Amino acid sequence: MKALEGVRVLDMTHVQSGPTCTQLLAWFGADVIKVERPGVGDATRGQLRDIPDVDSLYFTMLNHNKRSITLNTKDEKGKEIFTRLIEECDVMVENFAPGALDRMGFSWERIQEINPRMIYASVKGFGPGPYAQCKVYENVAQCAGGASSTTGFLDNLPLVTGAQIGDSGTGLNLALGIVTALYHREKSGKGQRVHAAMQDGVLNLCRVKLRDQQRLQHGPLTEYSQFGEGIEFGDATPRAGNDSGGGQPGRILKCKGWQTDPNAYTYFITQAAVWKNICDVIGRPEWKEDPDFSTPPARLPRLNEVFDAIEQWTMSKTKYEVMDICNPLDIPVGPILSMQELSEEASLRDTGTIVEVDHPTRGKYLTVGNPVKLSNSPSEVKRSPLLGEHTTEILQQVLGYSTGEISGLREAGAVGSEDVNT
């Protein structure tokens, strides 16, 4: 049995943050009904296409395991159908601009009247405050949430990260909020509002930098490279390059082949507990007893010298050889793996972390699978729906419309005519 089997989700989301949330619920077994505009659908169906006239990878990789119904919610008959879907569903998820559903006539108060058990979940860019009405995208969230000001090197521009911590990260937060609200409903019998703001989600992931902001009030951050270089700290947590954020100094170092391979690097942490092992591995056994290097405080002003010596050793080894040598000695290292290397990693296929999916119009493609594994509730990845593919099915099975009624709804323009029933 799937963990969320029996839970029905009304998916009013688009692009990335909301679909990430509803896809996760679908992977766990919820029946996710994606509502899309007739003839248009989710905007990402047509964005960043690599094959003409088929759903993009942007769309397919965010909408697995869902059913699609095309519905004109501006039409009165369409609104009636939408109202009935609210009655029949447990959860509604949306990531429209602030106030969009209210203007459609479906405020939280109205939704509670229709279905008091409904859990109404929203992703927004900002929480209540001066920016509540602002439109937010991934990189905006990273900048406004503190990630960019602390990412990159001290002497250069702030940077955003390739990991979608604003969109997908907030979608994960929202999914947790929904499951928590479902659990609470089992005791209270009532639904509730669930909010997840992208700025809040990014800031939550930057907690170690907020930690450092407060530490900075009591003196320099000694584990940062700039301390060893004699560079003064300002009032705010600085960018720290590839320094470790966990108190154990670490950096990305070159490995054999770095001149031609942009990913021939490893992350190397000089954990205090295995310092003697590190000294032996890199050929500096004298450092084990040298008072300038034998203790963590002594090494802090000399981190550049320490990592230069370690890098001389890593440059003589491939990133995989570094891992093979260091792991048995408990020295924390990690190769910089490219998307190509990850896509070809057999163990990730075995665990369902990367999955190959067959799509009726685009063929086979790779996608990420469920990152959360349950021992007794396995999840599988099914292809994303074609636009309006399940319109008839949902109208009949969920809402009880007859074939003749559905034909009338199509003629009236309340639902789309794209139903392909593949």
Side-chain angles (χ1 to χ4, degrees), residues 221-230 249 251 291-293 295-306:
L221 306 175
T222 55
E223 77 281 10
Y224 280 48
S225 292
Q226 72 180 78
F227 172 73
E229 295 167 3
R251 293 186 190 177
D292 287 341
F293 295 94
T295 66
R299 291 193 292 275
L300 287 174
R302 300 172 176 83
L303 288 179
N304 284 343
E305 185 178 353
V306 168

Short mmCIF file of all heavy atoms in Angstrom, two decimals, residues 221-230 249 251 291-293 295-306:
data_model
loop_
_atom_site.label_atom_id
_atom_site.label_comp_id
_atom_site.label_asym_id
_atom_site.label_seq_id
_atom_site.Cartn_x
_atom_site.Cartn_y
_atom_site.Cartn_z
N LEU A 221 35.75 35.17 12.24
CA LEU A 221 35.41 33.77 11.99
C LEU A 221 36.69 33.05 11.59
O LEU A 221 37.12 33.08 10.44
CB LEU A 221 34.35 33.69 10.88
CG LEU A 221 33.09 34.53 11.13
CD1 LEU A 221 32.16 34.50 9.92
CD2 LEU A 221 32.37 34.05 12.39
N THR A 222 37.30 32.41 12.56
CA THR A 222 38.67 31.92 12.38
C THR A 222 38.78 30.77 11.39
O THR A 222 39.89 30.52 10.88
CB THR A 222 39.24 31.46 13.74
OG1 THR A 222 38.36 30.50 14.34
CG2 THR A 222 39.38 32.65 14.68
N GLU A 223 37.69 30.07 11.10
CA GLU A 223 37.78 28.95 10.16
C GLU A 223 37.65 29.43 8.71
O GLU A 223 37.81 28.64 7.77
CB GLU A 223 36.72 27.88 10.46
CG GLU A 223 35.31 28.21 10.03
CD GLU A 223 34.58 29.15 10.97
OE1 GLU A 223 35.21 29.73 11.89
OE2 GLU A 223 33.36 29.33 10.79
N TYR A 224 37.31 30.72 8.50
CA TYR A 224 37.22 31.27 7.15
C TYR A 224 38.62 31.57 6.63
O TYR A 224 39.50 32.01 7.37
CB TYR A 224 36.40 32.57 7.16
CG TYR A 224 34.91 32.37 7.17
CD1 TYR A 224 34.29 31.49 8.06
CD2 TYR A 224 34.08 33.08 6.30
CE1 TYR A 224 32.92 31.33 8.09
CE2 TYR A 224 32.70 32.93 6.32
CZ TYR A 224 32.12 32.05 7.21
OH TYR A 224 30.76 31.89 7.23
N SER A 225 38.82 31.37 5.33
CA SER A 225 40.15 31.59 4.73
C SER A 225 40.66 33.00 4.96
O SER A 225 41.86 33.21 5.14
CB SER A 225 40.08 31.31 3.22
OG SER A 225 39.85 29.94 2.97
N GLN A 226 39.77 33.99 4.94
CA GLN A 226 40.24 35.36 5.06
C GLN A 226 40.90 35.63 6.41
O GLN A 226 41.72 36.55 6.52
CB GLN A 226 39.09 36.35 4.80
CG GLN A 226 38.04 36.44 5.88
CD GLN A 226 36.96 37.44 5.49
OE1 GLN A 226 36.07 37.14 4.69
NE2 GLN A 226 37.02 38.64 6.05
N PHE A 227 40.55 34.86 7.43
CA PHE A 227 41.21 35.03 8.72
C PHE A 227 42.70 34.73 8.60
O PHE A 227 43.55 35.50 9.05
CB PHE A 227 40.59 34.12 9.78
CG PHE A 227 41.32 34.10 11.09
CD1 PHE A 227 41.26 35.18 11.96
CD2 PHE A 227 42.10 33.01 11.46
CE1 PHE A 227 41.96 35.17 13.16
CE2 PHE A 227 42.79 32.98 12.66
CZ PHE A 227 42.72 34.06 13.51
N GLY A 228 43.02 33.61 7.95
CA GLY A 228 44.42 33.25 7.77
C GLY A 228 45.16 34.18 6.83
O GLY A 228 46.39 34.27 6.89
N GLU A 229 44.42 34.88 5.98
CA GLU A 229 45.05 35.80 5.04
C GLU A 229 45.14 37.22 5.59
O GLU A 229 45.61 38.12 4.90
CB GLU A 229 44.25 35.79 3.72
CG GLU A 229 44.29 34.43 3.02
CD GLU A 229 43.26 34.32 1.90
OE1 GLU A 229 42.56 35.33 1.64
OE2 GLU A 229 43.15 33.23 1.31
N GLY A 230 44.68 37.40 6.81
CA GLY A 230 44.78 38.71 7.45
C GLY A 230 43.81 39.74 6.92
O GLY A 230 44.03 40.94 7.07
N PRO A 249 37.77 22.78 8.72
CA PRO A 249 38.21 23.41 7.48
C PRO A 249 38.17 22.45 6.29
O PRO A 249 38.59 21.30 6.39
CB PRO A 249 39.66 23.84 7.79
CG PRO A 249 39.66 24.02 9.28
CD PRO A 249 38.75 22.96 9.81
N ARG A 251 38.08 22.43 1.64
CA ARG A 251 38.13 23.16 0.37
C ARG A 251 38.05 22.20 -0.79
O ARG A 251 38.30 21.00 -0.66
CB ARG A 251 39.42 23.97 0.26
CG ARG A 251 39.55 25.11 1.25
CD ARG A 251 40.78 25.95 0.98
NE ARG A 251 41.03 26.91 2.06
CZ ARG A 251 42.06 27.72 2.11
NH1 ARG A 251 42.98 27.69 1.15
NH2 ARG A 251 42.21 28.56 3.13
N PRO A 291 54.40 22.14 16.38
CA PRO A 291 53.44 22.99 17.10
C PRO A 291 52.70 23.97 16.20
O PRO A 291 51.63 24.46 16.57
CB PRO A 291 54.30 23.72 18.13
CG PRO A 291 55.69 23.62 17.63
CD PRO A 291 55.78 22.33 16.89
N ASP A 292 53.23 24.27 15.02
CA ASP A 292 52.55 25.17 14.09
C ASP A 292 51.41 24.48 13.33
O ASP A 292 50.58 25.15 12.70
CB ASP A 292 53.53 25.73 13.06
CG ASP A 292 54.46 26.78 13.67
OD1 ASP A 292 54.11 27.31 14.73
OD2 ASP A 292 55.51 27.04 13.06
N PHE A 293 51.38 23.13 13.39
CA PHE A 293 50.38 22.40 12.61
C PHE A 293 49.65 21.30 13.40
O PHE A 293 48.65 20.78 12.94
CB PHE A 293 51.05 21.73 11.39
CG PHE A 293 51.61 22.71 10.41
CD1 PHE A 293 52.94 23.09 10.48
CD2 PHE A 293 50.82 23.25 9.42
CE1 PHE A 293 53.46 24.00 9.58
CE2 PHE A 293 51.34 24.16 8.50
CZ PHE A 293 52.67 24.54 8.59
N THR A 295 47.76 21.21 16.08
CA THR A 295 46.44 21.44 16.68
C THR A 295 45.59 22.30 15.75
O THR A 295 46.12 23.10 14.98
CB THR A 295 46.56 22.15 18.04
OG1 THR A 295 47.08 23.47 17.83
CG2 THR A 295 47.45 21.37 18.99
N PRO A 296 44.26 22.16 15.82
CA PRO A 296 43.39 22.98 14.96
C PRO A 296 43.61 24.47 15.11
O PRO A 296 43.71 25.18 14.09
CB PRO A 296 41.98 22.56 15.40
CG PRO A 296 42.14 21.14 15.87
CD PRO A 296 43.49 21.12 16.54
N PRO A 297 43.71 25.02 16.33
CA PRO A 297 43.94 26.47 16.43
C PRO A 297 45.25 26.91 15.79
O PRO A 297 45.32 27.99 15.19
CB PRO A 297 43.97 26.71 17.95
CG PRO A 297 43.19 25.59 18.54
CD PRO A 297 43.51 24.42 17.68
N ALA A 298 46.29 26.08 15.89
CA ALA A 298 47.58 26.43 15.29
C ALA A 298 47.48 26.43 13.76
O ALA A 298 48.17 27.22 13.09
CB ALA A 298 48.66 25.45 15.75
N ARG A 299 46.64 25.55 13.22
CA ARG A 299 46.53 25.45 11.75
C ARG A 299 45.70 26.57 11.13
O ARG A 299 45.88 26.89 9.94
CB ARG A 299 45.94 24.09 11.36
CG ARG A 299 46.84 22.92 11.62
CD ARG A 299 46.34 21.65 10.93
NE ARG A 299 45.11 21.12 11.49
CZ ARG A 299 45.04 20.30 12.54
NH1 ARG A 299 46.17 19.93 13.15
NH2 ARG A 299 43.89 19.82 12.97
N LEU A 300 44.80 27.16 11.89
CA LEU A 300 43.87 28.13 11.30
C LEU A 300 44.56 29.27 10.55
O LEU A 300 44.14 29.62 9.44
CB LEU A 300 42.94 28.69 12.39
CG LEU A 300 41.85 27.71 12.88
CD1 LEU A 300 41.08 28.31 14.04
CD2 LEU A 300 40.90 27.35 11.74
N PRO A 301 45.62 29.88 11.09
CA PRO A 301 46.27 30.95 10.31
C PRO A 301 47.08 30.42 9.13
O PRO A 301 47.58 31.21 8.32
CB PRO A 301 47.20 31.63 11.33
CG PRO A 301 46.80 31.11 12.67
CD PRO A 301 46.23 29.76 12.42
N ARG A 302 47.22 29.12 9.04
CA ARG A 302 48.09 28.50 8.02
C ARG A 302 47.31 27.60 7.06
O ARG A 302 47.87 26.70 6.44
CB ARG A 302 49.19 27.69 8.72
CG ARG A 302 50.07 28.54 9.63
CD ARG A 302 51.03 27.68 10.45
NE ARG A 302 51.93 28.52 11.25
CZ ARG A 302 51.61 29.04 12.43
NH1 ARG A 302 50.41 28.78 12.97
NH2 ARG A 302 52.47 29.80 13.08
N LEU A 303 45.99 27.83 6.93
CA LEU A 303 45.18 26.94 6.10
C LEU A 303 45.60 26.97 4.64
O LEU A 303 45.52 25.93 3.96
CB LEU A 303 43.70 27.33 6.23
CG LEU A 303 43.03 26.98 7.57
CD1 LEU A 303 41.58 27.42 7.58
CD2 LEU A 303 43.14 25.48 7.86
N ASN A 304 46.02 28.11 4.14
CA ASN A 304 46.49 28.15 2.75
C ASN A 304 47.67 27.21 2.55
O ASN A 304 47.73 26.47 1.56
CB ASN A 304 46.87 29.57 2.34
CG ASN A 304 45.65 30.44 2.09
OD1 ASN A 304 44.55 29.92 1.91
ND2 ASN A 304 45.84 31.75 2.07
N GLU A 305 48.61 27.23 3.48
CA GLU A 305 49.77 26.34 3.38
C GLU A 305 49.35 24.88 3.50
O GLU A 305 49.84 24.01 2.76
CB GLU A 305 50.78 26.69 4.46
CG GLU A 305 52.09 25.90 4.36
CD GLU A 305 53.10 26.29 5.43
OE1 GLU A 305 52.85 27.27 6.16
OE2 GLU A 305 54.14 25.61 5.52
N VAL A 306 48.42 24.62 4.41
CA VAL A 306 47.94 23.24 4.61
C VAL A 306 47.28 22.72 3.34
O VAL A 306 47.61 21.63 2.84
CB VAL A 306 46.96 23.18 5.79
CG1 VAL A 306 46.23 21.83 5.83
CG2 VAL A 306 47.68 23.42 7.11
#
